[in-house]
Amino acid sequence: MKKWTSVLTLVFLLLFSCQPEEIESAPPNIILFLVDDMGWQDTSVPFSTKPTRFNELYNTPNMERMAKEGMKFTQAYATPVCSPTRISLMTGMNAARHRVTNWTLRKDSIQPMEKNHDSLTFPEWNVNGLSPVAGDSRAVHALPLPQALQDVGYYTIHAGKAHLGAIGTIGENPLNLGFNVNIAGHAAGAPASYFGTDNFGNGMAGKEVWAVPGLEKYHGKDVYLTEAITQEALIAIDSVVSGQEPFFLYMSHYAIHTPIMADKRYYQKYLEKGIDSTEAKYASMIEGMDKSLGDIMDYLERKNIEDNTIILFMSDNGGLSVHARGGKPNTHNAPLSSGKGSMHEGGIREPMLVKWPEVITPASVSRHQVIIEDFYPTILEMAGIDSLETFQKVDGQSFVPMLKGETYDGIRPLFWHYPNEWGPSGPGIGAASAVRKGDWKYIYYHADRRMELFNLKDDIGETKNLAEENTEKLKELAVVLTNHLKAVNAQMPSYKETGEKVPFPDVAKAVIRIEKK
Ligand code: CA
């Protein structure tokens, strides 16, 4: 007995003396799983207070699995369209500061829909996107997230949609931004086709800009784009997984952005539920994306590295709802109002999950308000980078303390700024700036200087504009927003009629506007 006791003691001593050091000395692998255009309700995981009809309709068992093993954030935000979110993610900067406020594609060129607006002339925003070098015109110069990770020894993999720099710029190619590997990423923000049988758009007349690069071995085959990218990402991880190097996988799916094309592995069963064919296709794309998440989680388990791998799940803007969908427009994110392109919650609130074994309490829920630029300092902290010289001013704040179970008791304002034109019209869509502080949200529309004030705690659907009822709160938030816009030297559009810039929403003007009504 005595002998066994001492052996056990020795084993325990070894366990407790070696294990913590080993954990500390092995930086975690990090997977950032970003879905394109996925709405807050596009999942079977309920992010609202109670399950909705969308949670009943969609099937995302691997998101459920991740929620069970990790933490769900019910108030996580991105920006209303693609590029501003992606640049904030890669730089830690708020959109008003980095000035890539609309989606990018053509070098030195604003979007066609910004050229003929009724009343506004749009500012010289950073149409060329992100640049890792100083001096590029109309681009934001910053230390990209993957570069920071590569610099401390991470093997960095880009898989899927990049959309970080315009065609012909340095930032167009993920390899110039600190990625060791680039799978299928380039300037464009959507694929010409999701079908391998279409060569993902390669060779399709007039689709050259949107044809997905690489992935030639899947051309002509009956493989969905989401599946091809996932398989290639796992091959890339496999090349380093047995070594000492930690990896960073930016799993940036093209799905579920338009074109809405059926993932036939799942399409039929949604048709059989009686929904229209467009919505059945959309649902099949969601489930194909979820299968990718599951394949990655299975791989980590198989390789016995899941305990030292963090997964962050996020979307880049709200679910598309104003056009191209089946059913009634602007209803696809209910109970949230509107969708992609909007300052209303449907355009910016995202399904967010984080899995970090041994750190996060399984099946926990955080109501902490997170915004997309917070991912940059968070991921750096996860990687053990505690001091970093960046060229840019980082606006985001790490949410690592929340993952460890701490609660944040201060009220931090979150900001959105879109001095641009997206195209379609709908609730909350158009050039605007907004702030959320606590339960309150204030939106200022540039074209007509209209204002909206909502209490999200009482009215998550933003149905009741309290701007006239609660002028104290309106003024308070107008000042908070103005101070931010001034501090970051935010760009504003100008009125075509007078040539004057749209004023910031300061107190005096807010009052005048209300009194005029
Ligand atoms: Ca998007």
Side-chain angles (χ1 to χ4, degrees), residues 36-37 79-88 90-91 95 98-114 123-131 137-140 161-173 177 185-191 209-210 250 254 257 316-317 340 418 420-422 491:
D36 198 2
D37 285 12
T79 75
V81 298
C82 288
S83 300
T85 282
R86 288 158 194 273
I87 304 301
S88 291
M90 289 292 151
T91 65
H98 66 55
R99 296 185 168 187
V100 187
T101 46
N102 208 358
W103 61 278
T104 57
L105 185 65
R106 311 273 182 190
K107 191 164 188 271
D108 299 328
S109 175
I110 58 170
Q111 298 298 345
M113 65 278 182
E114 292 196 315
E124 298 261 304
W125 57 280
N126 277 334
V127 294
N128 292 335
L130 172 61
S131 178
S137 68
R138 299 191 71 174
V140 59
K161 168 168 163 173
H163 202 211
L164 296 165
I167 296 167
T169 64
I170 297 174
E172 173 189 22
N173 184 349
L177 300 172
H186 64 151
V209 165
W210 309 99
Y250 178 45
Y254 281 96
H257 195 290
D316 72 334
N317 51 250
K340 178 177 181 178
Y418 186 74
N420 305 85
E421 172 66 19
W422 182 53
Q491 296 177 301

Side-chain angles (χ1 to χ4, degrees), residues 131-312:
S131 178
V133 297
D136 274 359
S137 68
R138 299 191 71 174
V140 59
H141 173 218
L143 178 70
L145 176 66
Q147 187 66 61
L149 294 169
Q150 193 187 57
D151 288 348
V152 296
Y154 272 80
Y155 184 74
T156 50
I157 303 158
H158 180 281
K161 168 168 163 173
H163 202 211
L164 296 165
I167 296 167
T169 64
I170 297 174
E172 173 189 22
N173 184 349
L175 297 180
N176 295 331
L177 300 172
F179 284 107
N180 291 102
V181 176
N182 172 30
I183 299 159
H186 64 151
S193 169
Y194 280 95
F195 297 158
T197 47
D198 288 341
N199 306 331
F200 307 118
N202 291 277
M204 287 167 81
K207 298 278 188 179
E208 292 76 10
V209 165
W210 309 99
V212 180
L215 304 178
E216 286 83 0
K217 78 186 203 202
Y218 302 91
H219 286 187
K221 293 188 178 153
D222 189 11
V223 180
Y224 203 77
L225 178 59
T226 306
E227 180 69 30
I229 291 169
T230 306
Q231 288 186 19
E232 288 305 300
L234 292 179
I235 290 169
I237 298 177
D238 215 49
S239 69
V240 289
V241 83
S242 54
Q244 294 301 307
E245 234 175 344
F247 66 82
F248 170 64
L249 168 63
Y250 178 45
M251 184 71 242
S252 172
H253 277 297
Y254 281 96
I256 53 175
H257 195 290
T258 54
I260 296 173
M261 297 173 83
D263 187 332
K264 68 181 185 190
R265 298 172 292 181
Y266 309 105
Y267 178 50
Q268 192 60 32
K269 76 173 190 190
Y270 289 103
L271 271 184
E272 284 164 10
K273 287 187 181 191
I275 56 173
D276 81 59
S277 61
T278 303
E279 291 307 285
K281 286 176 190 166
Y282 187 82
S284 76
M285 294 171 85
I286 292 173
E287 193 159 345
M289 170 282 296
D290 183 80
K291 193 242 180 200
S292 164
L293 178 66
D295 288 348
I296 291 170
M297 291 168 79
D298 289 345
Y299 173 89
L300 300 175
E301 278 183 27
R302 217 162 47 235
K303 293 286 173 173
N304 204 22
I305 53 171
E306 64 159 344
D307 284 350
N308 196 33
T309 304
I310 300 168
I311 310 176
L312 302 106

